[in-house]
Amino acid sequence: MNYFVTTSIPYVNGPPHLGHAMEFVMADVLARAARADGTPVLFSTGTDEHGGKIAQKAADSKQTPKVFVDNMSKEFQDLAKQLNISNDRFVRTTDKAHQQRAQIIWKNLEKDIYKGKYVGLYCTGCEAFVTDVVAKENKDICPHHNKPYEKLQEENYFFKLTKYAPQIQRAIESGSFQVIPATRKHEITNLIKDGLEDISVSRPTEKAGWGIAVPGDTSQVMYVWFEALMNYITVLGYPEHEDFKKFWPANVQVVGKDISRFHAAIWPGMLLALGIPLPKMVYVHGFINIDGQKMSKSLGNSVTPKEIIKKYGTDALRYYLLRHIPSYGDGDFSWQRMHDAYNNELANELGNAVQRTAAMIIQFQKGIIGNIPPAEHDIAQYQSALEECRFDRALDEVWEQVRGLNQYIDEQKPWEINKRGEAEHLRDVLAYQTSCLLEIAGLLQPFLPETATQIRYVFEEGIVRPIKDTLFPKHDTHPGATKR
Ligand code: MSP
């Protein structure tokens, strides 16, 4: 069984933020966990580079759209590297291959596409057509961008989404197409019950020129969302490439709560129209706020992933995003909480268990561990948490083991066993500690790959190999203490 996991592809209208970082990291955990099981994995991420919003940003910064998106996409690729993301592919919607294949997809969808007139509202910030009901609820002002919706009256192409609504509904309800968590599933099924409409899937070229031409009609470019969703199969070489046959349908598509309807209503409609299977699961994560407030340039509260990595390191940021942001809800970042998680959990609990075990083996046994007993903890809960994308719970499970180990050390007091001269007993205790640490390293591998590798390096050869730097050296202060 092969495994295909995707993130959404972020817009390149601004530099990457913590929300993007979290999504990359979550998908990375799934990819790494599947690889550790020996499954062939394809993990793709990328950037969404067309549309009016991006064209506008490029114009504002006096760059051509192409130069602008090249620079910005690079920032997302750099972020993936800084976060140690193990993606196999990075798709850009300006890639030739994506453009060509998007046109093939369009042609294959033509039986369900018709020309019509769109009279209604649009938000360029969201790149979304807005229904009258939503507009009314929001009093004609986009709550995300604080701008009045733009009134459009234009010719464009429509996709017959209505035709597929019952099938989408059935797939979600039967669980053949899973949407998790359940709250998100209910939102989507309610949305479909209220009635999906056919959707606009193109814009006039003169209004939204930065896009992929509609095949056979240069007066229209594809609507950016319609085209961006296609990345999940263009990246596999749809329709003819082996990878498409091997890896589609996706196992998990990781997306944020603001874009669940695109992924759980529109995207399945497109797939059904193409006659190809729906993904097995869409996992919808929540939003990160900063110090209890929405991340926003105007509030000036943005904290970049890079700053956090610089201070605490990649694995510490991964840890925070995976454990301290609820996997099924919204969460908060603050320097104080980051600092506490780092010092209390990573340094005092995990780092300390590693450090003292290694130090005692070196001091009392010249570094020789002896026979390491096999791992013995029940990891069923950890595994099911991972299958349900409850990264926070999976890490809680690992931390149960970390705490259990520290408790064991405090109770056994190997230093006293050593004083009493009970060499054999001491060897068993330290070998058991080592076994626990190697088990912990195995469980941490998808989450904190660098840390897990270091722990293995120290212990796995049966003789302690000291590492240069302390794992998670403690910090006295944090940037938030001085800045805010
Ligand atoms: N380009 C579209 C996705 C197209 S996928 C075919 C898009 N881009 S985005 O840059 O606005 O968002 C990318 C991802 O980041 C989305 O999953 C979105 O939910 C997520 N986040 C954006 N802000 C976020 C937070 N504050 N917190 C967590 N994730 C957030 O939508």
Side-chain angles (χ1 to χ4, degrees), residues 8-11 17 19-20 23 48 232 256 258 285-288 295:
S8 76
I9 49 170
Y11 290 123
H17 56 57
H20 299 129
E23 190 168 306
D48 186 354
Y232 301 126
D258 56 329
H285 62 74
F287 264 40
I288 304 187
M295 275 187 237

Side-chain angles (χ1 to χ4, degrees), residues 114-175:
Y114 60 93
K115 206 156 193 182
K117 192 161 193 180
Y118 179 79
V119 182
L121 301 167
Y122 193 80
C123 172
T124 305
C126 301
E127 294 287 14
F129 297 90
V130 181
T131 62
D132 292 342
V133 183
V134 172
K136 212 167 171 187
E137 266 171 29
N138 297 330
K139 303 195 173 65
D140 286 335
I141 293 175
C142 171
H144 307 292
H145 299 94
N146 261 330
K147 276 193 191 145
Y149 296 121
E150 192 185 336
K151 284 204 179 73
L152 299 186
Q153 189 164 12
E154 60 191 34
E155 285 255 300
N156 45 43
Y157 289 96
F158 285 76
F159 170 66
K160 287 185 197 161
L161 184 60
T162 42
K163 179 173 159 189
Y164 297 100
Q167 246 175 298
I168 301 169
Q169 186 79 318
R170 276 200 302 278
I172 297 178
E173 273 167 4
S174 72

Side-chain angles (χ1 to χ4, degrees), residues 7-13 17-20 22-23 48 53 76 225 228-232 254-259 263 285-289 295:
T7 67
S8 76
I9 49 170
Y11 290 123
V12 290
N13 61 311
H17 56 57
L18 269 183
H20 299 129
M22 179 171 81
E23 190 168 306
D48 186 354
K53 170 161 68 172
F76 284 85
W225 258 107
L229 286 164
M230 298 174 186
N231 92 84
Y232 301 126
V254 180
V255 305
K257 65 177 183 181
D258 56 329
I259 58 172
H263 287 83
H285 62 74
F287 264 40
I288 304 187
N289 297 315
M295 275 187 237

Side-chain angles (χ1 to χ4, degrees), residues 37 77 124 129 134 136 207-208 329 338 356 423 448:
D37 285 346
Q77 293 169 48
T124 305
F129 297 90
V134 172
K136 212 167 171 187
K207 284 205 205 161
M338 175 77 225
R356 51 186 185 153
L448 313 180

Side-chain angles (χ1 to χ4, degrees), residues 328-448:
Y328 279 10
D330 293 342
D332 197 43
F333 176 87
S334 74
W335 283 110
Q336 186 64 50
R337 290 188 62 205
M338 175 77 225
H339 189 75
D340 292 344
Y342 180 91
N343 275 351
N344 301 338
E345 292 152 35
L346 293 172
N348 279 354
E349 293 180 329
L350 178 62
N352 204 19
V354 172
Q355 246 77 256
R356 51 186 185 153
T357 301
M360 287 190 283
I361 297 170
I362 292 172
Q363 196 188 334
F364 304 148
Q365 299 180 164
K366 300 197 173 69
I368 296 161
I369 304 169
N371 283 339
I372 304 170
E376 59 167 31
H377 292 90
D378 178 6
I379 57 163
Q381 305 267 26
Y382 164 92
Q383 274 165 333
S384 60
L386 205 48
E387 274 158 27
E388 294 165 359
C389 302
R390 291 183 181 230
F391 308 103
D392 49 356
R393 291 214 181 158
L395 281 171
D396 288 346
E397 288 295 316
V398 182
W399 246 257
E400 284 292 307
Q401 290 199 25
V402 174
R403 293 201 175 124
L405 172 58
N406 279 318
Q407 208 178 342
Y408 175 85
I409 302 174
D410 294 342
E411 283 165 9
Q412 291 290 327
K413 302 189 176 53
W415 49 93
E416 293 189 359
I417 305 177
N418 180 58
K419 259 196 213 145
R420 295 198 297 272
E422 297 168 15
E424 200 171 324
H425 183 194
L426 180 65
R427 203 176 52 226
D428 288 348
V429 168
L430 293 176
Y432 175 75
Q433 289 177 214
T434 304
S435 160
C436 292
L437 285 169
L438 288 173
E439 188 176 359
I440 289 164
L443 301 176
L444 283 181
Q445 187 75 43
F447 295 83
L448 313 180

